[in-house]
């Protein structure tokens, strides 16, 4: 009976922990979309800001409009117009690319030189580092399960076990988020660099 209880506890903890990132993702998605009527927002943006005269609106207003449209505080009007142009030319999918940028923007450098964008990784982002964070996530999660199921104790102090177990859960979630965001950033970089390569080939 005790073994069944332990197994049930482990399953419940695993399900709860794995559901946390999905719940956080759902909350963020809700925040992005709750005030947004997409058709009206896009129509208004294209009417007022897309390809508008440079000095018709203040730069701050144009950037805020771009951020509102994509729900990304790291977006600006020039980058948004680049994504729209690429979508119109069939080089990228606008929704997918803006989502990739939303999640991975903290790991992406965007530089504009001579009306051309350059997209590079920030903070030494790589596939290997992303995978390393997935490993850290798995290790922290495993250790949290070991602590909460009573398989390991720290000096027989109950509150310390709880504190350390919760800390490992927090570390695991943080590592998972970094791994996922890095993965999104790398996908965005591949998408944009491929689009630019195709565009250059078409112009030759």
């Amino acid at each position: 009976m005790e073994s069944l209880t332990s197994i049930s506890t482990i399953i419940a903890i695993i399900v709860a922990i794995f559901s946390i990132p999905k719940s956080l993702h759902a909350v963020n998605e809700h925040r992005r979309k709750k005030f947004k009527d997409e058709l009206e927002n896009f129509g208004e943006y294209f009417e007022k800001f897309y390809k508008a005269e440079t000095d018709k609106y203040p730069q701050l207003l144009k950037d805020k409009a771009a951020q509102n449209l994509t729900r990304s505080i790291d977006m600006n009007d020039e980058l948004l117009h680049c994504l729209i142009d690429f979508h119109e030319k069939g080089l990228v999918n606008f929704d997918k690319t803006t989502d990739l940028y939303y999640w991975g923007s903290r790991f992406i450098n965007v530089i504009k030189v001579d009306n051309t964008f350059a997209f590079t990784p920030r903070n030494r982002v790589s596939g290997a580092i992303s995978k390393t964070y997935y490993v850290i996530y798995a290790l922290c999660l495993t250790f949290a399960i070991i602590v909460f199921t009573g398989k390991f104790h720290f000096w027989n102090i109950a509150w310390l076990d709880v504190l350390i177990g919760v800390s490992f859960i927090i570390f695991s979630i943080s590592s998972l988020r970094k791994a996922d965001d890095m993965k999104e950033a790398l996908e965005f970089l591949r998408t944009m660099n491929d689009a630019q390569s195709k565009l250059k080939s078409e112009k030759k």
Side-chain angles (χ1 to χ4, degrees), residues 24-33 36 66-75 79 83 94-108 110 177 180-182 184-185 187-189:
L24 292 174
H25 194 283
V27 168
N28 283 322
E29 283 297 315
H30 178 67
R31 287 176 181 171
R32 291 180 68 201
K33 295 176 181 177
K36 180 171 154 184
Q67 292 166 10
N68 178 67
L69 194 69
T70 59
R71 299 298 174 187
S72 173
I73 61 173
D74 296 314
M75 184 63 68
L79 176 57
L83 297 177
F94 179 83
D95 290 331
K96 182 179 179 181
T97 308
T98 52
D99 279 345
L100 291 173
Y101 186 75
Y102 175 83
W103 295 110
S105 59
R106 61 178 170 146
F107 296 115
I108 300 169
V110 180
R177 184 185 174 192
D180 284 344
D181 288 354
M182 284 185 182
E184 300 287 281
E187 180 63 25
F188 175 87
L189 292 171

Side-chain angles (χ1 to χ4, degrees), residues 153-190:
H153 297 283
F154 292 89
W155 301 289
N156 293 319
I157 303 175
W159 66 265
L160 186 59
D161 288 346
V162 173
L163 179 61
I164 292 175
V166 170
S167 297
F168 273 104
I169 289 176
I170 293 172
F171 289 146
S172 69
I173 294 172
S174 175
S175 297
L176 178 62
R177 184 185 174 192
K178 285 183 179 178
D180 284 344
D181 288 354
M182 284 185 182
K183 184 179 178 182
E184 300 287 281
L186 292 169
E187 180 63 25
F188 175 87
L189 292 171
R190 280 193 295 270

Side-chain angles (χ1 to χ4, degrees), residues 117-154:
F117 281 97
F119 303 96
T120 58
R122 182 189 298 174
N123 299 330
R124 299 180 180 177
V125 175
S126 68
I129 295 176
S130 177
K131 291 175 183 176
T132 300
Y133 274 111
Y134 280 121
V135 172
I136 294 173
Y137 161 71
L139 292 174
C140 289
L141 178 60
T142 301
F143 201 77
I145 293 172
I146 291 173
V147 171
F148 280 120
T149 53
K151 304 296 183 183
F152 187 87
H153 297 283
F154 292 89

